[in-house]
mmCIF file of all heavy atoms in Angstrom:
data_model
loop_
_atom_site.group_PDB
_atom_site.id
_atom_site.type_symbol
_atom_site.label_atom_id
_atom_site.label_comp_id
_atom_site.label_asym_id
_atom_site.label_seq_id
_atom_site.Cartn_x
_atom_site.Cartn_y
_atom_site.Cartn_z
ATOM 1 N N GLU A 23 -11.739 7.097 -74.906
ATOM 2 C CA GLU A 23 -10.305 6.775 -74.648
ATOM 3 C C GLU A 23 -9.508 8.027 -74.374
ATOM 4 O O GLU A 23 -8.653 8.086 -73.475
ATOM 5 C CB GLU A 23 -9.773 6.049 -75.863
ATOM 6 C CG GLU A 23 -8.345 5.569 -75.690
ATOM 7 C CD GLU A 23 -8.182 4.532 -74.529
ATOM 8 O OE1 GLU A 23 -9.162 3.799 -74.275
ATOM 9 O OE2 GLU A 23 -7.106 4.540 -73.895
ATOM 10 N N ILE A 24 -9.795 9.106 -75.160
ATOM 11 C CA ILE A 24 -9.091 10.358 -74.929
ATOM 12 C C ILE A 24 -9.454 10.953 -73.577
ATOM 13 O O ILE A 24 -8.567 11.479 -72.928
ATOM 14 C CB ILE A 24 -9.489 11.380 -76.064
ATOM 15 C CG1 ILE A 24 -8.916 10.956 -77.421
ATOM 16 C CG2 ILE A 24 -8.974 12.777 -75.699
ATOM 17 C CD1 ILE A 24 -7.403 10.955 -77.501
ATOM 18 N N GLU A 25 -10.689 10.852 -73.166
ATOM 19 C CA GLU A 25 -11.066 11.373 -71.858
ATOM 20 C C GLU A 25 -10.394 10.598 -70.763
ATOM 21 O O GLU A 25 -10.018 11.188 -69.733
ATOM 22 C CB GLU A 25 -12.590 11.263 -71.727
ATOM 23 C CG GLU A 25 -13.338 12.280 -72.542
ATOM 24 C CD GLU A 25 -14.819 12.081 -72.465
ATOM 25 O OE1 GLU A 25 -15.303 11.025 -72.085
ATOM 26 O OE2 GLU A 25 -15.604 13.021 -72.841
ATOM 27 N N LYS A 26 -10.216 9.285 -70.935
ATOM 28 C CA LYS A 26 -9.480 8.452 -69.906
ATOM 29 C C LYS A 26 -8.023 8.932 -69.859
ATOM 30 O O LYS A 26 -7.509 9.093 -68.735
ATOM 31 C CB LYS A 26 -9.592 6.993 -70.308
ATOM 32 C CG LYS A 26 -10.908 6.338 -70.074
ATOM 33 C CD LYS A 26 -10.840 4.862 -70.481
ATOM 34 C CE LYS A 26 -12.237 4.199 -70.226
ATOM 35 N NZ LYS A 26 -12.202 2.791 -70.647
ATOM 36 N N GLN A 27 -7.416 9.121 -71.016
ATOM 37 C CA GLN A 27 -6.017 9.575 -71.013
ATOM 38 C C GLN A 27 -5.919 10.967 -70.364
ATOM 39 O O GLN A 27 -4.945 11.293 -69.668
ATOM 40 C CB GLN A 27 -5.498 9.594 -72.437
ATOM 41 C CG GLN A 27 -5.354 8.221 -73.084
ATOM 42 C CD GLN A 27 -4.855 8.277 -74.497
ATOM 43 O OE1 GLN A 27 -4.299 9.300 -74.937
ATOM 44 N NE2 GLN A 27 -5.059 7.218 -75.238
ATOM 45 N N GLN A 28 -6.913 11.781 -70.684
ATOM 46 C CA GLN A 28 -6.954 13.153 -70.128
ATOM 47 C C GLN A 28 -7.011 13.110 -68.627
ATOM 48 O O GLN A 28 -6.292 13.900 -67.910
ATOM 49 C CB GLN A 28 -8.153 13.924 -70.711
ATOM 50 C CG GLN A 28 -8.171 15.365 -70.280
ATOM 51 C CD GLN A 28 -9.373 16.087 -70.841
ATOM 52 O OE1 GLN A 28 -10.521 15.499 -70.936
ATOM 53 N NE2 GLN A 28 -9.239 17.331 -71.238
ATOM 54 N N GLU A 29 -7.819 12.209 -68.063
ATOM 55 C CA GLU A 29 -7.920 12.033 -66.604
ATOM 56 C C GLU A 29 -6.681 11.574 -66.002
ATOM 57 O O GLU A 29 -6.199 12.024 -64.922
ATOM 58 C CB GLU A 29 -9.057 11.030 -66.289
ATOM 59 C CG GLU A 29 -9.468 10.965 -64.849
ATOM 60 C CD GLU A 29 -10.050 12.227 -64.271
ATOM 61 O OE1 GLU A 29 -10.650 12.988 -65.086
ATOM 62 O OE2 GLU A 29 -9.884 12.488 -63.090
ATOM 63 N N ILE A 30 -5.967 10.605 -66.693
ATOM 64 C CA ILE A 30 -4.712 10.113 -66.194
ATOM 65 C C ILE A 30 -3.659 11.241 -66.172
ATOM 66 O O ILE A 30 -2.924 11.405 -65.160
ATOM 67 C CB ILE A 30 -4.211 8.970 -67.075
ATOM 68 C CG1 ILE A 30 -5.115 7.700 -66.913
ATOM 69 C CG2 ILE A 30 -2.756 8.575 -66.749
ATOM 70 C CD1 ILE A 30 -4.819 6.594 -67.897
ATOM 71 N N LEU A 31 -3.621 12.030 -67.257
ATOM 72 C CA LEU A 31 -2.642 13.133 -67.275
ATOM 73 C C LEU A 31 -2.957 14.190 -66.225
ATOM 74 O O LEU A 31 -2.042 14.796 -65.643
ATOM 75 C CB LEU A 31 -2.654 13.717 -68.684
ATOM 76 C CG LEU A 31 -2.086 12.878 -69.805
ATOM 77 C CD1 LEU A 31 -2.316 13.551 -71.185
ATOM 78 C CD2 LEU A 31 -0.561 12.688 -69.551
ATOM 79 N N ARG A 32 -4.217 14.392 -66.008
ATOM 80 C CA ARG A 32 -4.662 15.371 -64.953
ATOM 81 C C ARG A 32 -4.209 14.900 -63.623
ATOM 82 O O ARG A 32 -3.664 15.697 -62.778
ATOM 83 C CB ARG A 32 -6.197 15.541 -64.991
ATOM 84 C CG ARG A 32 -6.634 16.699 -64.113
ATOM 85 C CD ARG A 32 -8.193 16.832 -64.108
ATOM 86 N NE ARG A 32 -8.680 17.201 -65.401
ATOM 87 C CZ ARG A 32 -9.439 16.478 -66.204
ATOM 88 N NH1 ARG A 32 -9.774 15.229 -65.801
ATOM 89 N NH2 ARG A 32 -9.867 16.922 -67.335
ATOM 90 N N ASP A 33 -4.369 13.626 -63.312
ATOM 91 C CA ASP A 33 -3.929 13.047 -62.040
ATOM 92 C C ASP A 33 -2.383 13.185 -61.907
ATOM 93 O O ASP A 33 -1.881 13.443 -60.827
ATOM 94 C CB ASP A 33 -4.354 11.605 -61.912
ATOM 95 C CG ASP A 33 -5.870 11.459 -61.704
ATOM 96 O OD1 ASP A 33 -6.484 12.491 -61.364
ATOM 97 O OD2 ASP A 33 -6.390 10.364 -61.914
ATOM 98 N N GLN A 34 -1.680 12.856 -62.987
ATOM 99 C CA GLN A 34 -0.221 12.951 -62.978
ATOM 100 C C GLN A 34 0.230 14.375 -62.748
ATOM 101 O O GLN A 34 1.210 14.575 -61.987
ATOM 102 C CB GLN A 34 0.333 12.377 -64.294
ATOM 103 C CG GLN A 34 0.201 10.879 -64.483
ATOM 104 C CD GLN A 34 0.667 10.380 -65.838
ATOM 105 O OE1 GLN A 34 0.890 11.199 -66.770
ATOM 106 N NE2 GLN A 34 0.888 9.096 -65.947
ATOM 107 N N LEU A 35 -0.437 15.299 -63.405
ATOM 108 C CA LEU A 35 -0.082 16.705 -63.253
ATOM 109 C C LEU A 35 -0.281 17.179 -61.804
ATOM 110 O O LEU A 35 0.523 17.868 -61.219
ATOM 111 C CB LEU A 35 -0.902 17.578 -64.202
ATOM 112 C CG LEU A 35 -0.625 19.094 -64.141
ATOM 113 C CD1 LEU A 35 0.811 19.382 -64.457
ATOM 114 C CD2 LEU A 35 -1.543 19.833 -65.104
ATOM 115 N N GLN A 36 -1.423 16.716 -61.244
ATOM 116 C CA GLN A 36 -1.749 17.060 -59.830
ATOM 117 C C GLN A 36 -0.705 16.492 -58.914
ATOM 118 O O GLN A 36 -0.259 17.147 -57.981
ATOM 119 C CB GLN A 36 -3.136 16.544 -59.465
ATOM 120 C CG GLN A 36 -3.594 16.985 -58.081
ATOM 121 C CD GLN A 36 -5.025 16.570 -57.790
ATOM 122 O OE1 GLN A 36 -5.702 15.981 -58.681
ATOM 123 N NE2 GLN A 36 -5.471 16.806 -56.588
ATOM 124 N N SER A 37 -0.288 15.249 -59.175
ATOM 125 C CA SER A 37 0.738 14.575 -58.353
ATOM 126 C C SER A 37 2.071 15.353 -58.476
ATOM 127 O O SER A 37 2.765 15.553 -57.463
ATOM 128 C CB SER A 37 0.884 13.155 -58.768
ATOM 129 O OG SER A 37 1.887 12.496 -58.042
ATOM 130 N N LEU A 38 2.427 15.675 -59.683
ATOM 131 C CA LEU A 38 3.652 16.393 -59.916
ATOM 132 C C LEU A 38 3.668 17.785 -59.256
ATOM 133 O O LEU A 38 4.690 18.172 -58.709
ATOM 134 C CB LEU A 38 3.929 16.553 -61.450
ATOM 135 C CG LEU A 38 4.373 15.279 -62.163
ATOM 136 C CD1 LEU A 38 4.438 15.547 -63.675
ATOM 137 C CD2 LEU A 38 5.710 14.803 -61.652
ATOM 138 N N SER A 39 2.533 18.442 -59.298
ATOM 139 C CA SER A 39 2.381 19.710 -58.586
ATOM 140 C C SER A 39 2.596 19.557 -57.121
ATOM 141 O O SER A 39 3.256 20.407 -56.466
ATOM 142 C CB SER A 39 1.017 20.371 -58.905
ATOM 143 O OG SER A 39 0.837 20.616 -60.249
ATOM 144 N N SER A 40 2.001 18.507 -56.535
ATOM 145 C CA SER A 40 2.120 18.228 -55.107
ATOM 146 C C SER A 40 3.601 17.953 -54.739
ATOM 147 O O SER A 40 4.150 18.421 -53.775
ATOM 148 C CB SER A 40 1.265 17.089 -54.663
ATOM 149 O OG SER A 40 -0.076 17.365 -54.908
ATOM 150 N N ILE A 41 4.283 17.162 -55.619
ATOM 151 C CA ILE A 41 5.682 16.818 -55.391
ATOM 152 C C ILE A 41 6.521 18.077 -55.419
ATOM 153 O O ILE A 41 7.408 18.298 -54.635
ATOM 154 C CB ILE A 41 6.120 15.786 -56.418
ATOM 155 C CG1 ILE A 41 5.507 14.432 -56.143
ATOM 156 C CG2 ILE A 41 7.682 15.662 -56.380
ATOM 157 C CD1 ILE A 41 5.668 13.424 -57.280
ATOM 158 N N ALA A 42 6.183 18.986 -56.417
ATOM 159 C CA ALA A 42 6.981 20.215 -56.543
ATOM 160 C C ALA A 42 6.827 21.077 -55.314
ATOM 161 O O ALA A 42 7.810 21.695 -54.838
ATOM 162 C CB ALA A 42 6.452 20.985 -57.790
ATOM 163 N N ARG A 43 5.635 21.147 -54.694
ATOM 164 C CA ARG A 43 5.415 21.935 -53.462
ATOM 165 C C ARG A 43 6.223 21.371 -52.308
ATOM 166 O O ARG A 43 6.799 22.106 -51.529
ATOM 167 C CB ARG A 43 3.948 21.962 -53.104
ATOM 168 C CG ARG A 43 3.117 22.880 -53.999
ATOM 169 C CD ARG A 43 1.763 23.131 -53.366
ATOM 170 N NE ARG A 43 0.917 21.913 -53.338
ATOM 171 C CZ ARG A 43 0.129 21.537 -54.306
ATOM 172 N NH1 ARG A 43 0.052 22.267 -55.431
ATOM 173 N NH2 ARG A 43 -0.595 20.465 -54.191
ATOM 174 N N VAL A 44 6.282 20.045 -52.250
ATOM 175 C CA VAL A 44 7.106 19.393 -51.208
ATOM 176 C C VAL A 44 8.552 19.712 -51.374
ATOM 177 O O VAL A 44 9.260 20.034 -50.429
ATOM 178 C CB VAL A 44 6.896 17.864 -51.192
ATOM 179 C CG1 VAL A 44 7.901 17.164 -50.267
ATOM 180 C CG2 VAL A 44 5.475 17.529 -50.819
ATOM 181 N N LEU A 45 9.083 19.640 -52.614
ATOM 182 C CA LEU A 45 10.483 19.981 -52.883
ATOM 183 C C LEU A 45 10.826 21.426 -52.555
ATOM 184 O O LEU A 45 11.898 21.729 -52.063
ATOM 185 C CB LEU A 45 10.780 19.650 -54.336
ATOM 186 C CG LEU A 45 10.750 18.199 -54.790
ATOM 187 C CD1 LEU A 45 11.035 18.050 -56.266
ATOM 188 C CD2 LEU A 45 11.645 17.312 -53.927
ATOM 189 N N VAL A 46 9.845 22.294 -52.794
ATOM 190 C CA VAL A 46 10.060 23.709 -52.444
ATOM 191 C C VAL A 46 10.167 23.863 -50.936
ATOM 192 O O VAL A 46 11.089 24.581 -50.456
ATOM 193 C CB VAL A 46 8.860 24.600 -52.948
ATOM 194 C CG1 VAL A 46 8.925 25.992 -52.314
ATOM 195 C CG2 VAL A 46 8.914 24.673 -54.481
ATOM 196 N N ASN A 47 9.323 23.185 -50.192
ATOM 197 C CA ASN A 47 9.396 23.165 -48.722
ATOM 198 C C ASN A 47 10.734 22.639 -48.230
ATOM 199 O O ASN A 47 11.352 23.203 -47.332
ATOM 200 C CB ASN A 47 8.276 22.399 -48.114
ATOM 201 C CG ASN A 47 6.933 23.113 -48.195
ATOM 202 O OD1 ASN A 47 6.898 24.350 -48.249
ATOM 203 N ND2 ASN A 47 5.855 22.347 -48.184
ATOM 204 N N LEU A 48 11.187 21.506 -48.827
ATOM 205 C CA LEU A 48 12.434 20.918 -48.417
ATOM 206 C C LEU A 48 13.607 21.853 -48.689
ATOM 207 O O LEU A 48 14.529 21.991 -47.890
ATOM 208 C CB LEU A 48 12.670 19.602 -49.169
ATOM 209 C CG LEU A 48 11.784 18.429 -48.746
ATOM 210 C CD1 LEU A 48 11.968 17.214 -49.699
ATOM 211 C CD2 LEU A 48 12.081 17.997 -47.315
ATOM 212 N N GLU A 49 13.563 22.517 -49.825
ATOM 213 C CA GLU A 49 14.611 23.493 -50.188
ATOM 214 C C GLU A 49 14.640 24.637 -49.178
ATOM 215 O O GLU A 49 15.693 24.997 -48.671
ATOM 216 C CB GLU A 49 14.359 24.067 -51.552
ATOM 217 C CG GLU A 49 15.393 25.128 -51.998
ATOM 218 C CD GLU A 49 15.058 25.756 -53.316
ATOM 219 O OE1 GLU A 49 13.842 25.783 -53.699
ATOM 220 O OE2 GLU A 49 15.976 26.262 -53.974
ATOM 221 N N ASN A 50 13.459 25.118 -48.808
ATOM 222 C CA ASN A 50 13.299 26.176 -47.829
ATOM 223 C C ASN A 50 13.868 25.770 -46.506
ATOM 224 O O ASN A 50 14.636 26.517 -45.810
ATOM 225 C CB ASN A 50 11.868 26.580 -47.720
ATOM 226 C CG ASN A 50 11.621 27.698 -46.752
ATOM 227 O OD1 ASN A 50 12.462 28.583 -46.561
ATOM 228 N ND2 ASN A 50 10.472 27.660 -46.004
ATOM 229 N N PHE A 51 13.534 24.585 -46.022
ATOM 230 C CA PHE A 51 13.967 24.101 -44.736
ATOM 231 C C PHE A 51 15.455 23.810 -44.705
ATOM 232 O O PHE A 51 16.145 24.031 -43.698
ATOM 233 C CB PHE A 51 13.172 22.842 -44.314
ATOM 234 C CG PHE A 51 11.702 23.079 -44.077
ATOM 235 C CD1 PHE A 51 10.775 22.068 -44.247
ATOM 236 C CD2 PHE A 51 11.250 24.342 -43.688
ATOM 237 C CE1 PHE A 51 9.414 22.304 -44.061
ATOM 238 C CE2 PHE A 51 9.907 24.566 -43.451
ATOM 239 C CZ PHE A 51 8.968 23.553 -43.661
ATOM 240 N N MET A 52 15.998 23.319 -45.826
ATOM 241 C CA MET A 52 17.457 23.098 -45.929
ATOM 242 C C MET A 52 18.224 24.404 -45.784
ATOM 243 O O MET A 52 19.242 24.466 -45.100
ATOM 244 C CB MET A 52 17.811 22.360 -47.208
ATOM 245 C CG MET A 52 17.458 20.864 -47.214
ATOM 246 S SD MET A 52 18.192 20.009 -48.582
ATOM 247 C CE MET A 52 19.866 19.958 -48.117
ATOM 248 N N GLU A 53 17.755 25.394 -46.502
ATOM 249 C CA GLU A 53 18.396 26.741 -46.449
ATOM 250 C C GLU A 53 18.406 27.309 -45.041
ATOM 251 O O GLU A 53 19.357 27.997 -44.639
ATOM 252 C CB GLU A 53 17.736 27.674 -47.424
ATOM 253 C CG GLU A 53 18.014 27.319 -48.870
ATOM 254 C CD GLU A 53 17.281 28.220 -49.843
ATOM 255 O OE1 GLU A 53 16.337 28.923 -49.397
ATOM 256 O OE2 GLU A 53 17.580 28.244 -51.044
ATOM 257 N N ARG A 54 17.364 27.020 -44.298
ATOM 258 C CA ARG A 54 17.216 27.531 -42.942
ATOM 259 C C ARG A 54 17.822 26.649 -41.881
ATOM 260 O O ARG A 54 17.968 27.052 -40.747
ATOM 261 C CB ARG A 54 15.732 27.762 -42.613
ATOM 262 C CG ARG A 54 15.027 28.751 -43.483
ATOM 263 C CD ARG A 54 13.620 28.898 -43.067
ATOM 264 N NE ARG A 54 12.905 29.872 -43.896
ATOM 265 C CZ ARG A 54 11.954 30.706 -43.513
ATOM 266 N NH1 ARG A 54 11.511 30.635 -42.263
ATOM 267 N NH2 ARG A 54 11.328 31.515 -44.305
ATOM 268 N N GLY A 55 18.179 25.413 -42.287
ATOM 269 C CA GLY A 55 18.767 24.485 -41.292
ATOM 270 C C GLY A 55 17.737 23.882 -40.351
ATOM 271 O O GLY A 55 18.067 23.539 -39.221
ATOM 272 N N TRP A 56 16.504 23.730 -40.818
ATOM 273 C CA TRP A 56 15.412 23.198 -40.020
ATOM 274 C C TRP A 56 15.332 21.679 -40.274
ATOM 275 O O TRP A 56 14.495 21.171 -41.010
ATOM 276 C CB TRP A 56 14.096 23.853 -40.387
ATOM 277 C CG TRP A 56 14.049 25.330 -40.071
ATOM 278 C CD1 TRP A 56 15.043 26.097 -39.702
ATOM 279 C CD2 TRP A 56 12.872 26.150 -40.131
ATOM 280 N NE1 TRP A 56 14.567 27.394 -39.497
ATOM 281 C CE2 TRP A 56 13.243 27.441 -39.781
ATOM 282 C CE3 TRP A 56 11.525 25.876 -40.457
ATOM 283 C CZ2 TRP A 56 12.334 28.533 -39.780
ATOM 284 C CZ3 TRP A 56 10.652 26.915 -40.442
ATOM 285 C CH2 TRP A 56 11.037 28.231 -40.043
#
Side-chain angles (χ1 to χ4, degrees):
E23 185 61 32
I24 291 296
E25 287 175 342
K26 287 181 180 178
Q27 292 179 20
Q28 186 181 37
E29 188 65 29
I30 291 171
L31 289 173
R32 189 182 293 114
D33 290 343
Q34 289 177 343
L35 179 60
Q36 185 176 355
S37 179
L38 286 172
S39 297
S40 298
I41 291 169
R43 285 194 294 271
V44 171
L45 294 180
V46 167
N47 285 336
L48 288 173
E49 179 185 25
N50 181 33
F51 295 152
M52 284 192 73
E53 289 177 345
R54 297 182 180 213
W56 296 9

